[in-house]
């Protein structure tokens, strides 16, 4: 179960149990379309992907010192191109 998708697509759901289903704050059962939940793609996922792909700050500073700012910009631009916003 993609709980992040569930919370974004069904913000009224406060309890989810795989066998019993989803429920709102009043205990009413909420119908969930699992195809939509499973197909959901986090529009903010690129942030974490970029953070993992960027070189460490120390490596970035080292690259700027030894290779110049333009080489650093190329490195950062390559990561941004690989993980574009909202895709």
């Amino acid at each position: 179960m993609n709980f992040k998708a569930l919370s974004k697509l069904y913000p009224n759901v406060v309890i989810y149990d795989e066998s019993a289903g989803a429920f709102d704050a009043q205990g009413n059962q909420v119908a969930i379309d699992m195809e939509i939940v499973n197909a959901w793609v986090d529009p903010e996922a690129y942030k974490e992907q970029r953070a993992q792909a960027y070189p460490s700050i120390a490596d970035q500073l080292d690259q700027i010192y030894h290779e110049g700012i333009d080489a650093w910009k190329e490195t950062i631009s390559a990561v941004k191109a690989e993980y574009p916003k909202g895709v």
Side-chain angles (χ1 to χ4, degrees):
M1 166 57 69
N2 185 341
F3 291 107
K4 189 169 186 179
L6 183 66
S7 67
K8 294 291 185 180
L9 297 169
Y10 299 94
N12 58 325
V13 170
V14 294
I15 297 172
Y16 178 78
D17 181 279
E18 290 207 24
S19 60
F23 298 90
D24 64 14
Q26 289 74 39
N28 301 316
Q29 192 160 21
V30 178
I32 303 292
D33 185 338
M34 291 307 293
E35 285 186 32
I36 293 173
V37 172
N38 291 332
W40 184 78
V41 176
D42 185 357
E44 302 291 313
Y46 76 93
K47 292 177 183 180
E48 186 174 325
Q49 293 167 330
R50 283 184 180 182
Q52 292 175 2
Y54 286 136
S56 70
I57 296 297
D59 288 343
Q60 289 183 47
L61 291 172
D62 195 51
Q63 183 179 29
I64 291 169
Y65 181 80
H66 291 290
E67 300 173 39
I69 196 79
D70 290 331
W72 171 80
K73 286 181 181 179
E74 287 179 26
T75 300
I76 299 304
S77 294
V79 172
K80 289 182 180 224
E82 186 174 351
Y83 302 107
K85 289 184 178 179
V87 174

